[in-house]
Amino acid sequence: MSWKTALITGGSTGIGLELAKALAKRGTKVVICGRRQSQLDEAVKEIGENGSAIQCDVADPAAVQRMVDEAHQRLGSLELVIANAGIGGDKPAARLKIEDIVPMLQINVIGACATITAAIPHLLAQGGGHLVGITSVAGYRGLPTSGAYSASKAAFSTFLESVRVDLFKRNVKVSDVRPGFIETPLTAKNKFPMPFLMPADRAAQKILGALASGRRVYAFPWPMWMLIKVVTMVPGWLYDRLGGSVDFRKDA
Ligand SMILES: NC(=O)c1ccc[n+]([C@@H]2O[C@H](COP(=O)([O-])OP(=O)(O)OC[C@H]3O[C@@H](n4cnc5c(N)ncnc54)[C@H](OP(=O)(O)O)[C@@H]3O)[C@@H](O)[C@H]2O)c1
């Protein structure tokens, strides 16, 4: 499967940049977006002649609409749209403030959903396409210290499932990509152990392989997927005890 055109939000670093580079190498014309112009300029240099950028903060739904319309105009179509822009962050509930949660939901949920809703009319008008959300294995369960992040990814995953059902008969594929730990600027800040950490270029290859084969939901790397599968089967009473045994007293 090859796409002639693609829009990737948050394509200036990490997973988004590696996806953009891999697609451009295969001949796809790619538009990326992000907030920092300097980072976008660097990224476009790396992506090469098939890449271009639009500065946009996805936290602003009106700006997202303008950005998606401009990408469509520039590319002539939107065959692949990847809502990837997102932020991370962890904090135990005892210290969590609503100020920590609002930006996370604004970018990871509102921004991601706004990207998808702005793209849908273009895909329907052109007779089909592929919508993708980069969520996380963190959305399968409320992970310790990750209330805001887990909630944001669970919300976006659920949204994507509804969109898939609604567009089932309209030749629009919808994929939910749920990575484990990937080596990017986002995870570089983490001070805790990250099992099965995968380089971002390898992650991009895995994601594109899964999209080409039409995967609806793709959680990876597979050892992390197996671990999360087990975690989802743990009964609530035991999950509370295991999660609650993580020692946050220093932070509480
Ligand atoms: N790395 C992991 O282990 C991992 C695991 C599971 C899921 N994910 C998800 O994968 C996605 C990409 O993460 P990453 O690890 O590649 O992170 P990253 O390297 O920090 O990249 C994030 C990208 O999103 C952009 N971005 C952030 N906020 C934005 C906003 N408000 N508007 C527009 N662009 C914005 C950033 O550019 P600017 O800062 O310049 O805006 C950057 O291009 C995220 O949704 C993340 O939650 C990552």
Side-chain angles (χ1 to χ4, degrees), residues 9-17 33-37 39-40 56-60 83-88 106-108 134-138 149 152-153 177-187 189-190 194 197-198 200:
T9 66
S12 58
T13 61
I15 298 170
L17 175 58
C33 90
R35 293 166 299 184
R36 289 164 297 166
Q37 188 61 52
Q39 203 61 54
L40 288 169
C56 173
D57 182 346
V58 299
D60 174 358
N84 162 78
I87 56 170
Q106 194 67 36
I107 296 170
N108 293 7
I134 307 293
T135 65
S136 171
V137 292
Y149 188 69
S152 74
K153 293 303 186 179
V177 173
R178 303 179 178 193
F181 290 114
I182 312 299
E183 230 174 320
T184 69
L186 185 148
T187 47
K189 299 172 204 138
N190 291 349
M194 292 182 278
L197 185 68
M198 179 181 269

Side-chain angles (χ1 to χ4, degrees), residues 40-98:
L40 288 169
D41 294 342
E42 282 300 310
V44 168
K45 269 191 227 153
E46 276 193 57
I47 296 165
E49 60 178 2
N50 283 333
S52 69
I54 301 170
Q55 190 179 32
C56 173
D57 182 346
V58 299
D60 174 358
V64 174
Q65 182 71 58
R66 287 194 297 275
M67 179 272 294
V68 171
D69 292 346
E70 189 184 331
H72 177 262
Q73 195 173 24
R74 208 181 270 186
L75 297 170
S77 68
L78 290 175
E79 293 192 3
L80 177 66
V81 175
I82 307 183
N84 162 78
I87 56 170
D90 62 303
K91 209 179 244 191
R95 287 200 290 120
L96 194 62
K97 300 267 181 280
I98 194 65

